[in-house]
Amino acid sequence: MYDIHTFYALPFKLAKDILVVPLTHIINKSLLSGTFPSSWKVGRVTPVWKKGPRDDWNNYRPISCLSIPAKILEACAKSQIADFFERNNLFGTGQHGFRPHRSTTSALVAMTSAWTDAVDRNHNAGALAFDLSSAFDTVDVNILCSKLAIYGFDTVSLSWIRSYLTNRHQFVQVGNIRSKTLKVNTGCPQGSVLSPILFIILTADIEDWVQHSELSSYADDITATATGLTPTDVIVKLQKSAHTILSFFASNGLVVNTNKTVFLFFGS
């Protein structure tokens, strides 16, 4: 059983010719058996400052530093999962995060085009921008696996996803100070290769819920746009959409960050 810190120091690139055979065997064995190696499920969490006062822990983002072999295995799984969803058009058309040929730019272009088009036609447009609190940390493995089963994942694949997300452990390290290692009961590890794709899979069906507005998303940042002849038309549509979107979040165990929820209105 390897210690996680061994993988940080090991020069994988220099030793790739030696490691490729045993690592390939481990990766194939893991994917075929539906089991993620338990010794690779330990994360060293580093608090990364985002903004605001540095003495407030709420202003730090917890980033998990994971073992290099674990990330290689995740990358192999991600490639297959993402390809399956893209080939079968299972992602929503409005999701621009962590997908090929899409970015924050494509998301902004889609939204601004809808807004300016409405104004050019002497209509009104409104947008509700939602942000989720600790989005990756609230991913529920049971809900996620239930959706994956509907999408067509077989028993082994579901077992691998469940193994990857359960019985994980982590500790926090700041400088030379290290906390106790504790079990993580829910969520995907931030800083991993696979977590982003699993999150957008969890929310891929949100567009099937919303009927009164168009959605444009980048990961957990979701914006609903509605247009109408009058401001009242726009507001009514967005109220209905907000109710549906909040219901979707609640049904999937996700929590909205009310401090970052914004309403925008565009008109003549």
mmCIF file of all heavy atoms in Angstrom, residues 199-241:
data_model
loop_
_atom_site.group_PDB
_atom_site.id
_atom_site.type_symbol
_atom_site.label_atom_id
_atom_site.label_comp_id
_atom_site.label_asym_id
_atom_site.label_seq_id
_atom_site.Cartn_x
_atom_site.Cartn_y
_atom_site.Cartn_z
ATOM 1 N N PHE A 199 -20.146 16.562 -12.255
ATOM 2 C CA PHE A 199 -21.089 17.598 -11.836
ATOM 3 C C PHE A 199 -22.008 18.005 -12.978
ATOM 4 O O PHE A 199 -23.221 18.148 -12.779
ATOM 5 C CB PHE A 199 -20.359 18.820 -11.294
ATOM 6 C CG PHE A 199 -21.294 19.921 -10.889
ATOM 7 C CD1 PHE A 199 -21.934 19.878 -9.660
ATOM 8 C CD2 PHE A 199 -21.584 20.963 -11.754
ATOM 9 C CE1 PHE A 199 -22.837 20.875 -9.292
ATOM 10 C CE2 PHE A 199 -22.476 21.957 -11.402
ATOM 11 C CZ PHE A 199 -23.107 21.918 -10.166
ATOM 12 N N ILE A 200 -21.455 18.212 -14.177
ATOM 13 C CA ILE A 200 -22.333 18.642 -15.263
ATOM 14 C C ILE A 200 -23.244 17.497 -15.722
ATOM 15 O O ILE A 200 -24.294 17.743 -16.313
ATOM 16 C CB ILE A 200 -21.537 19.234 -16.451
ATOM 17 C CG1 ILE A 200 -20.661 18.187 -17.131
ATOM 18 C CG2 ILE A 200 -20.717 20.423 -16.007
ATOM 19 C CD1 ILE A 200 -19.987 18.720 -18.397
ATOM 20 N N ILE A 201 -22.851 16.257 -15.417
ATOM 21 C CA ILE A 201 -23.768 15.137 -15.659
ATOM 22 C C ILE A 201 -24.936 15.203 -14.685
ATOM 23 O O ILE A 201 -26.095 14.985 -15.055
ATOM 24 C CB ILE A 201 -23.031 13.790 -15.529
ATOM 25 C CG1 ILE A 201 -22.097 13.570 -16.712
ATOM 26 C CG2 ILE A 201 -24.022 12.624 -15.421
ATOM 27 C CD1 ILE A 201 -21.211 12.352 -16.577
ATOM 28 N N LEU A 202 -24.635 15.520 -13.431
ATOM 29 C CA LEU A 202 -25.694 15.623 -12.411
ATOM 30 C C LEU A 202 -26.736 16.666 -12.794
ATOM 31 O O LEU A 202 -27.929 16.479 -12.537
ATOM 32 C CB LEU A 202 -25.069 15.973 -11.061
ATOM 33 C CG LEU A 202 -26.035 16.145 -9.881
ATOM 34 C CD1 LEU A 202 -26.682 14.809 -9.526
ATOM 35 C CD2 LEU A 202 -25.322 16.720 -8.670
ATOM 36 N N THR A 203 -26.315 17.751 -13.432
ATOM 37 C CA THR A 203 -27.233 18.840 -13.776
ATOM 38 C C THR A 203 -27.614 18.847 -15.253
ATOM 39 O O THR A 203 -28.218 19.802 -15.736
ATOM 40 C CB THR A 203 -26.597 20.196 -13.418
ATOM 41 O OG1 THR A 203 -25.340 20.333 -14.116
ATOM 42 C CG2 THR A 203 -26.343 20.297 -11.924
ATOM 43 N N ALA A 204 -27.276 17.786 -15.993
ATOM 44 C CA ALA A 204 -27.502 17.778 -17.442
ATOM 45 C C ALA A 204 -28.975 17.842 -17.814
ATOM 46 O O ALA A 204 -29.325 18.330 -18.895
ATOM 47 C CB ALA A 204 -26.867 16.527 -18.057
ATOM 48 N N ASP A 205 -29.858 17.370 -16.950
ATOM 49 C CA ASP A 205 -31.279 17.326 -17.296
ATOM 50 C C ASP A 205 -32.047 18.555 -16.842
ATOM 51 O O ASP A 205 -33.278 18.580 -16.942
ATOM 52 C CB ASP A 205 -31.917 16.073 -16.698
ATOM 53 C CG ASP A 205 -31.788 16.008 -15.185
ATOM 54 O OD1 ASP A 205 -30.746 16.460 -14.659
ATOM 55 O OD2 ASP A 205 -32.709 15.504 -14.511
ATOM 56 N N ILE A 206 -31.362 19.601 -16.381
ATOM 57 C CA ILE A 206 -32.077 20.773 -15.882
ATOM 58 C C ILE A 206 -32.878 21.451 -16.984
ATOM 59 O O ILE A 206 -33.957 22.009 -16.740
ATOM 60 C CB ILE A 206 -31.092 21.782 -15.224
ATOM 61 C CG1 ILE A 206 -31.878 22.905 -14.546
ATOM 62 C CG2 ILE A 206 -30.097 22.324 -16.241
ATOM 63 C CD1 ILE A 206 -31.007 23.828 -13.725
ATOM 64 N N GLU A 207 -32.382 21.383 -18.232
ATOM 65 C CA GLU A 207 -33.100 22.019 -19.336
ATOM 66 C C GLU A 207 -34.423 21.319 -19.632
ATOM 67 O O GLU A 207 -35.322 21.925 -20.223
ATOM 68 C CB GLU A 207 -32.212 22.059 -20.578
ATOM 69 C CG GLU A 207 -30.996 22.961 -20.414
ATOM 70 C CD GLU A 207 -30.129 23.022 -21.658
ATOM 71 O OE1 GLU A 207 -30.627 22.688 -22.759
ATOM 72 O OE2 GLU A 207 -28.951 23.397 -21.543
ATOM 73 N N ASP A 208 -34.544 20.057 -19.242
ATOM 74 C CA ASP A 208 -35.809 19.347 -19.424
ATOM 75 C C ASP A 208 -36.868 19.840 -18.441
ATOM 76 O O ASP A 208 -38.067 19.627 -18.661
ATOM 77 C CB ASP A 208 -35.605 17.843 -19.238
ATOM 78 C CG ASP A 208 -34.692 17.252 -20.304
ATOM 79 O OD1 ASP A 208 -34.656 17.802 -21.413
ATOM 80 O OD2 ASP A 208 -34.000 16.251 -20.011
ATOM 81 N N TRP A 209 -36.437 20.473 -17.360
ATOM 82 C CA TRP A 209 -37.351 20.987 -16.356
ATOM 83 C C TRP A 209 -37.895 22.368 -16.720
ATOM 84 O O TRP A 209 -39.044 22.684 -16.420
ATOM 85 C CB TRP A 209 -36.655 21.075 -15.002
ATOM 86 C CG TRP A 209 -36.365 19.784 -14.318
ATOM 87 C CD1 TRP A 209 -35.747 18.689 -14.842
ATOM 88 C CD2 TRP A 209 -36.656 19.449 -12.960
ATOM 89 N NE1 TRP A 209 -35.624 17.696 -13.905
ATOM 90 C CE2 TRP A 209 -36.181 18.138 -12.737
ATOM 91 C CE3 TRP A 209 -37.254 20.135 -11.907
ATOM 92 C CZ2 TRP A 209 -36.288 17.499 -11.510
ATOM 93 C CZ3 TRP A 209 -37.376 19.510 -10.677
ATOM 94 C CH2 TRP A 209 -36.895 18.197 -10.483
ATOM 95 N N VAL A 210 -37.041 23.196 -17.318
ATOM 96 C CA VAL A 210 -37.367 24.612 -17.520
ATOM 97 C C VAL A 210 -38.018 24.804 -18.882
ATOM 98 O O VAL A 210 -37.462 24.432 -19.907
ATOM 99 C CB VAL A 210 -36.086 25.474 -17.417
ATOM 100 C CG1 VAL A 210 -36.433 26.949 -17.605
ATOM 101 C CG2 VAL A 210 -35.417 25.263 -16.064
ATOM 102 N N GLN A 211 -39.199 25.446 -18.892
ATOM 103 C CA GLN A 211 -39.958 25.632 -20.125
ATOM 104 C C GLN A 211 -40.153 27.102 -20.509
ATOM 105 O O GLN A 211 -40.487 27.401 -21.649
ATOM 106 C CB GLN A 211 -41.336 24.966 -19.996
ATOM 107 C CG GLN A 211 -41.286 23.476 -19.734
ATOM 108 C CD GLN A 211 -42.663 22.881 -19.537
ATOM 109 O OE1 GLN A 211 -43.659 23.597 -19.418
ATOM 110 N NE2 GLN A 211 -42.735 21.553 -19.493
ATOM 111 N N HIS A 212 -39.938 28.018 -19.588
ATOM 112 C CA HIS A 212 -40.301 29.418 -19.833
ATOM 113 C C HIS A 212 -39.105 30.312 -20.105
ATOM 114 O O HIS A 212 -39.269 31.523 -20.252
ATOM 115 C CB HIS A 212 -41.084 29.964 -18.634
ATOM 116 C CG HIS A 212 -42.329 29.191 -18.328
ATOM 117 N ND1 HIS A 212 -43.483 29.320 -19.064
ATOM 118 C CD2 HIS A 212 -42.592 28.249 -17.375
ATOM 119 C CE1 HIS A 212 -44.413 28.514 -18.581
ATOM 120 N NE2 HIS A 212 -43.898 27.846 -17.563
ATOM 121 N N SER A 213 -37.910 29.748 -20.165
ATOM 122 C CA SER A 213 -36.719 30.542 -20.453
ATOM 123 C C SER A 213 -35.637 29.642 -21.025
ATOM 124 O O SER A 213 -35.730 28.421 -20.956
ATOM 125 C CB SER A 213 -36.219 31.252 -19.189
ATOM 126 O OG SER A 213 -35.872 30.314 -18.197
ATOM 127 N N GLU A 214 -34.615 30.279 -21.577
ATOM 128 C CA GLU A 214 -33.469 29.551 -22.101
ATOM 129 C C GLU A 214 -32.332 29.594 -21.096
ATOM 130 O O GLU A 214 -32.081 30.630 -20.483
ATOM 131 C CB GLU A 214 -33.012 30.166 -23.434
ATOM 132 C CG GLU A 214 -34.031 30.033 -24.553
ATOM 133 C CD GLU A 214 -33.500 30.574 -25.858
ATOM 134 O OE1 GLU A 214 -32.316 30.988 -25.897
ATOM 135 O OE2 GLU A 214 -34.269 30.591 -26.843
ATOM 136 N N LEU A 215 -31.639 28.466 -20.957
ATOM 137 C CA LEU A 215 -30.562 28.373 -19.987
ATOM 138 C C LEU A 215 -29.213 28.412 -20.674
ATOM 139 O O LEU A 215 -29.020 27.835 -21.746
ATOM 140 C CB LEU A 215 -30.675 27.084 -19.168
ATOM 141 C CG LEU A 215 -31.941 26.896 -18.334
ATOM 142 C CD1 LEU A 215 -31.838 25.620 -17.514
ATOM 143 C CD2 LEU A 215 -32.189 28.085 -17.423
ATOM 144 N N SER A 216 -28.293 29.105 -20.023
ATOM 145 C CA SER A 216 -26.898 29.106 -20.447
ATOM 146 C C SER A 216 -26.065 28.897 -19.198
ATOM 147 O O SER A 216 -26.201 29.649 -18.218
ATOM 148 C CB SER A 216 -26.533 30.424 -21.129
ATOM 149 O OG SER A 216 -25.202 30.384 -21.622
ATOM 150 N N SER A 217 -25.218 27.871 -19.216
ATOM 151 C CA SER A 217 -24.507 27.483 -18.003
ATOM 152 C C SER A 217 -23.025 27.312 -18.259
ATOM 153 O O SER A 217 -22.600 26.948 -19.357
ATOM 154 C CB SER A 217 -25.071 26.163 -17.446
ATOM 155 O OG SER A 217 -26.474 26.193 -17.357
ATOM 156 N N TYR A 218 -22.264 27.583 -17.221
ATOM 157 C CA TYR A 218 -20.858 27.184 -17.203
ATOM 158 C C TYR A 218 -20.632 26.504 -15.857
ATOM 159 O O TYR A 218 -20.518 27.171 -14.827
ATOM 160 C CB TYR A 218 -19.912 28.372 -17.371
ATOM 161 C CG TYR A 218 -18.482 27.926 -17.569
ATOM 162 C CD1 TYR A 218 -18.003 27.654 -18.845
ATOM 163 C CD2 TYR A 218 -17.634 27.714 -16.486
ATOM 164 C CE1 TYR A 218 -16.704 27.200 -19.041
ATOM 165 C CE2 TYR A 218 -16.341 27.256 -16.671
ATOM 166 C CZ TYR A 218 -15.873 27.017 -17.946
ATOM 167 O OH TYR A 218 -14.594 26.555 -18.128
ATOM 168 N N ALA A 219 -20.664 25.178 -15.886
ATOM 169 C CA ALA A 219 -20.570 24.378 -14.656
ATOM 170 C C ALA A 219 -21.726 24.743 -13.731
ATOM 171 O O ALA A 219 -22.885 24.555 -14.086
ATOM 172 C CB ALA A 219 -19.217 24.556 -13.991
ATOM 173 N N ASP A 220 -21.426 25.315 -12.547
ATOM 174 C CA ASP A 220 -22.485 25.603 -11.577
ATOM 175 C C ASP A 220 -23.036 27.021 -11.692
ATOM 176 O O ASP A 220 -23.897 27.404 -10.914
ATOM 177 C CB ASP A 220 -21.972 25.364 -10.157
ATOM 178 C CG ASP A 220 -20.816 26.284 -9.807
ATOM 179 O OD1 ASP A 220 -19.975 26.536 -10.676
ATOM 180 O OD2 ASP A 220 -20.741 26.741 -8.644
ATOM 181 N N ASP A 221 -22.539 27.820 -12.653
ATOM 182 C CA ASP A 221 -23.091 29.149 -12.899
ATOM 183 C C ASP A 221 -24.160 29.024 -13.980
ATOM 184 O O ASP A 221 -23.853 28.776 -15.144
ATOM 185 C CB ASP A 221 -21.996 30.116 -13.356
ATOM 186 C CG ASP A 221 -20.975 30.365 -12.259
ATOM 187 O OD1 ASP A 221 -21.392 30.575 -11.109
ATOM 188 O OD2 ASP A 221 -19.766 30.332 -12.541
ATOM 189 N N ILE A 222 -25.415 29.208 -13.578
ATOM 190 C CA ILE A 222 -26.549 28.965 -14.474
ATOM 191 C C ILE A 222 -27.363 30.240 -14.620
ATOM 192 O O ILE A 222 -27.763 30.857 -13.623
ATOM 193 C CB ILE A 222 -27.431 27.830 -13.928
ATOM 194 C CG1 ILE A 222 -26.611 26.538 -13.825
ATOM 195 C CG2 ILE A 222 -28.663 27.617 -14.805
ATOM 196 C CD1 ILE A 222 -27.328 25.399 -13.137
ATOM 197 N N THR A 223 -27.617 30.643 -15.860
ATOM 198 C CA THR A 223 -28.377 31.856 -16.140
ATOM 199 C C THR A 223 -29.590 31.520 -16.988
ATOM 200 O O THR A 223 -29.481 30.861 -18.028
ATOM 201 C CB THR A 223 -27.512 32.892 -16.882
ATOM 202 O OG1 THR A 223 -26.373 33.223 -16.086
ATOM 203 C CG2 THR A 223 -28.310 34.166 -17.161
ATOM 204 N N ALA A 224 -30.752 31.974 -16.535
ATOM 205 C CA ALA A 224 -32.000 31.789 -17.266
ATOM 206 C C ALA A 224 -32.368 33.106 -17.941
ATOM 207 O O ALA A 224 -32.411 34.149 -17.289
ATOM 208 C CB ALA A 224 -33.112 31.349 -16.320
ATOM 209 N N THR A 225 -32.644 33.065 -19.242
ATOM 210 C CA THR A 225 -33.005 34.260 -20.009
ATOM 211 C C THR A 225 -34.420 34.117 -20.541
ATOM 212 O O THR A 225 -34.777 33.078 -21.119
ATOM 213 C CB THR A 225 -32.038 34.478 -21.186
ATOM 214 O OG1 THR A 225 -30.730 34.768 -20.683
ATOM 215 C CG2 THR A 225 -32.497 35.646 -22.056
ATOM 216 N N ALA A 226 -35.223 35.173 -20.361
ATOM 217 C CA ALA A 226 -36.591 35.185 -20.882
ATOM 218 C C ALA A 226 -36.816 36.492 -21.639
ATOM 219 O O ALA A 226 -36.246 37.527 -21.290
ATOM 220 C CB ALA A 226 -37.598 35.055 -19.745
ATOM 221 N N THR A 227 -37.617 36.440 -22.683
ATOM 222 C CA THR A 227 -37.943 37.631 -23.461
ATOM 223 C C THR A 227 -39.454 37.779 -23.554
ATOM 224 O O THR A 227 -40.209 36.806 -23.392
ATOM 225 C CB THR A 227 -37.345 37.551 -24.877
ATOM 226 O OG1 THR A 227 -37.889 36.406 -25.555
ATOM 227 C CG2 THR A 227 -35.827 37.419 -24.819
ATOM 228 N N GLY A 228 -39.920 39.009 -23.817
ATOM 229 C CA GLY A 228 -41.346 39.263 -23.930
ATOM 230 C C GLY A 228 -41.626 40.656 -24.436
ATOM 231 O O GLY A 228 -40.737 41.511 -24.480
ATOM 232 N N LEU A 229 -42.875 40.904 -24.809
ATOM 233 C CA LEU A 229 -43.256 42.221 -25.317
ATOM 234 C C LEU A 229 -43.225 43.282 -24.224
ATOM 235 O O LEU A 229 -42.925 44.450 -24.482
ATOM 236 C CB LEU A 229 -44.645 42.145 -25.945
ATOM 237 C CG LEU A 229 -44.759 41.367 -27.261
ATOM 238 C CD1 LEU A 229 -46.231 41.232 -27.677
ATOM 239 C CD2 LEU A 229 -43.969 42.060 -28.359
ATOM 240 N N THR A 230 -43.543 42.882 -23.005
ATOM 241 C CA THR A 230 -43.593 43.839 -21.894
ATOM 242 C C THR A 230 -42.719 43.348 -20.749
ATOM 243 O O THR A 230 -42.427 42.146 -20.647
ATOM 244 C CB THR A 230 -45.032 44.007 -21.387
ATOM 245 O OG1 THR A 230 -45.459 42.768 -20.774
ATOM 246 C CG2 THR A 230 -45.977 44.368 -22.524
ATOM 247 N N PRO A 231 -42.328 44.268 -19.868
ATOM 248 C CA PRO A 231 -41.567 43.844 -18.687
ATOM 249 C C PRO A 231 -42.315 42.820 -17.846
ATOM 250 O O PRO A 231 -41.706 41.906 -17.285
ATOM 251 C CB PRO A 231 -41.358 45.156 -17.921
ATOM 252 C CG PRO A 231 -41.400 46.218 -18.972
ATOM 253 C CD PRO A 231 -42.418 45.747 -19.969
ATOM 254 N N THR A 232 -43.634 42.952 -17.780
ATOM 255 C CA THR A 232 -44.422 41.996 -16.991
ATOM 256 C C THR A 232 -44.315 40.593 -17.558
ATOM 257 O O THR A 232 -44.194 39.604 -16.818
ATOM 258 C CB THR A 232 -45.899 42.431 -16.949
ATOM 259 O OG1 THR A 232 -45.987 43.729 -16.364
ATOM 260 C CG2 THR A 232 -46.721 41.454 -16.128
ATOM 261 N N ASP A 233 -44.346 40.489 -18.890
ATOM 262 C CA ASP A 233 -44.208 39.175 -19.522
ATOM 263 C C ASP A 233 -42.885 38.514 -19.120
ATOM 264 O O ASP A 233 -42.836 37.318 -18.817
ATOM 265 C CB ASP A 233 -44.262 39.313 -21.048
ATOM 266 C CG ASP A 233 -45.623 39.753 -21.547
ATOM 267 O OD1 ASP A 233 -46.614 39.533 -20.825
ATOM 268 O OD2 ASP A 233 -45.691 40.321 -22.661
ATOM 269 N N VAL A 234 -41.820 39.301 -19.149
ATOM 270 C CA VAL A 234 -40.493 38.785 -18.808
ATOM 271 C C VAL A 234 -40.442 38.335 -17.359
ATOM 272 O O VAL A 234 -39.941 37.242 -17.038
ATOM 273 C CB VAL A 234 -39.413 39.852 -19.088
ATOM 274 C CG1 VAL A 234 -38.055 39.373 -18.587
ATOM 275 C CG2 VAL A 234 -39.354 40.174 -20.564
ATOM 276 N N ILE A 235 -40.969 39.162 -16.470
ATOM 277 C CA ILE A 235 -40.902 38.855 -15.042
ATOM 278 C C ILE A 235 -41.706 37.604 -14.705
ATOM 279 O O ILE A 235 -41.271 36.753 -13.918
ATOM 280 C CB ILE A 235 -41.395 40.065 -14.215
ATOM 281 C CG1 ILE A 235 -40.395 41.218 -14.343
ATOM 282 C CG2 ILE A 235 -41.584 39.683 -12.748
ATOM 283 C CD1 ILE A 235 -40.854 42.510 -13.700
ATOM 284 N N VAL A 236 -42.872 37.460 -15.304
ATOM 285 C CA VAL A 236 -43.703 36.272 -15.053
ATOM 286 C C VAL A 236 -42.977 35.011 -15.502
ATOM 287 O O VAL A 236 -42.957 33.989 -14.796
ATOM 288 C CB VAL A 236 -45.066 36.404 -15.761
ATOM 289 C CG1 VAL A 236 -45.816 35.070 -15.731
ATOM 290 C CG2 VAL A 236 -45.896 37.494 -15.108
ATOM 291 N N LYS A 237 -42.353 35.060 -16.686
ATOM 292 C CA LYS A 237 -41.615 33.905 -17.185
ATOM 293 C C LYS A 237 -40.449 33.553 -16.264
ATOM 294 O O LYS A 237 -40.206 32.371 -15.963
ATOM 295 C CB LYS A 237 -41.103 34.177 -18.594
ATOM 296 C CG LYS A 237 -42.191 34.213 -19.658
ATOM 297 C CD LYS A 237 -41.585 34.491 -21.029
ATOM 298 C CE LYS A 237 -42.668 34.536 -22.114
ATOM 299 N NZ LYS A 237 -42.080 34.835 -23.452
ATOM 300 N N LEU A 238 -39.738 34.563 -15.806
ATOM 301 C CA LEU A 238 -38.590 34.305 -14.941
ATOM 302 C C LEU A 238 -39.020 33.810 -13.561
ATOM 303 O O LEU A 238 -38.307 33.015 -12.937
ATOM 304 C CB LEU A 238 -37.726 35.565 -14.811
ATOM 305 C CG LEU A 238 -36.934 35.944 -16.059
ATOM 306 C CD1 LEU A 238 -36.153 37.234 -15.824
ATOM 307 C CD2 LEU A 238 -35.974 34.826 -16.462
ATOM 308 N N GLN A 239 -40.164 34.276 -13.090
ATOM 309 C CA GLN A 239 -40.674 33.757 -11.817
ATOM 310 C C GLN A 239 -40.978 32.268 -11.915
ATOM 311 O O GLN A 239 -40.640 31.487 -11.016
ATOM 312 C CB GLN A 239 -41.933 34.531 -11.404
ATOM 313 C CG GLN A 239 -41.654 35.931 -10.869
ATOM 314 C CD GLN A 239 -42.929 36.674 -10.532
ATOM 315 O OE1 GLN A 239 -43.990 36.431 -11.117
ATOM 316 N NE2 GLN A 239 -42.837 37.603 -9.588
ATOM 317 N N LYS A 240 -41.600 31.869 -13.011
ATOM 318 C CA LYS A 240 -41.898 30.451 -13.212
ATOM 319 C C LYS A 240 -40.607 29.642 -13.358
ATOM 320 O O LYS A 240 -40.480 28.538 -12.812
ATOM 321 C CB LYS A 240 -42.782 30.273 -14.442
ATOM 322 C CG LYS A 240 -44.185 30.856 -14.296
ATOM 323 C CD LYS A 240 -45.000 30.667 -15.569
ATOM 324 C CE LYS A 240 -46.408 31.231 -15.413
ATOM 325 N NZ LYS A 240 -47.208 31.090 -16.656
ATOM 326 N N SER A 241 -39.662 30.201 -14.094
ATOM 327 C CA SER A 241 -38.388 29.503 -14.275
ATOM 328 C C SER A 241 -37.637 29.382 -12.960
ATOM 329 O O SER A 241 -37.034 28.343 -12.673
ATOM 330 C CB SER A 241 -37.521 30.258 -15.297
ATOM 331 O OG SER A 241 -38.129 30.263 -16.570
#
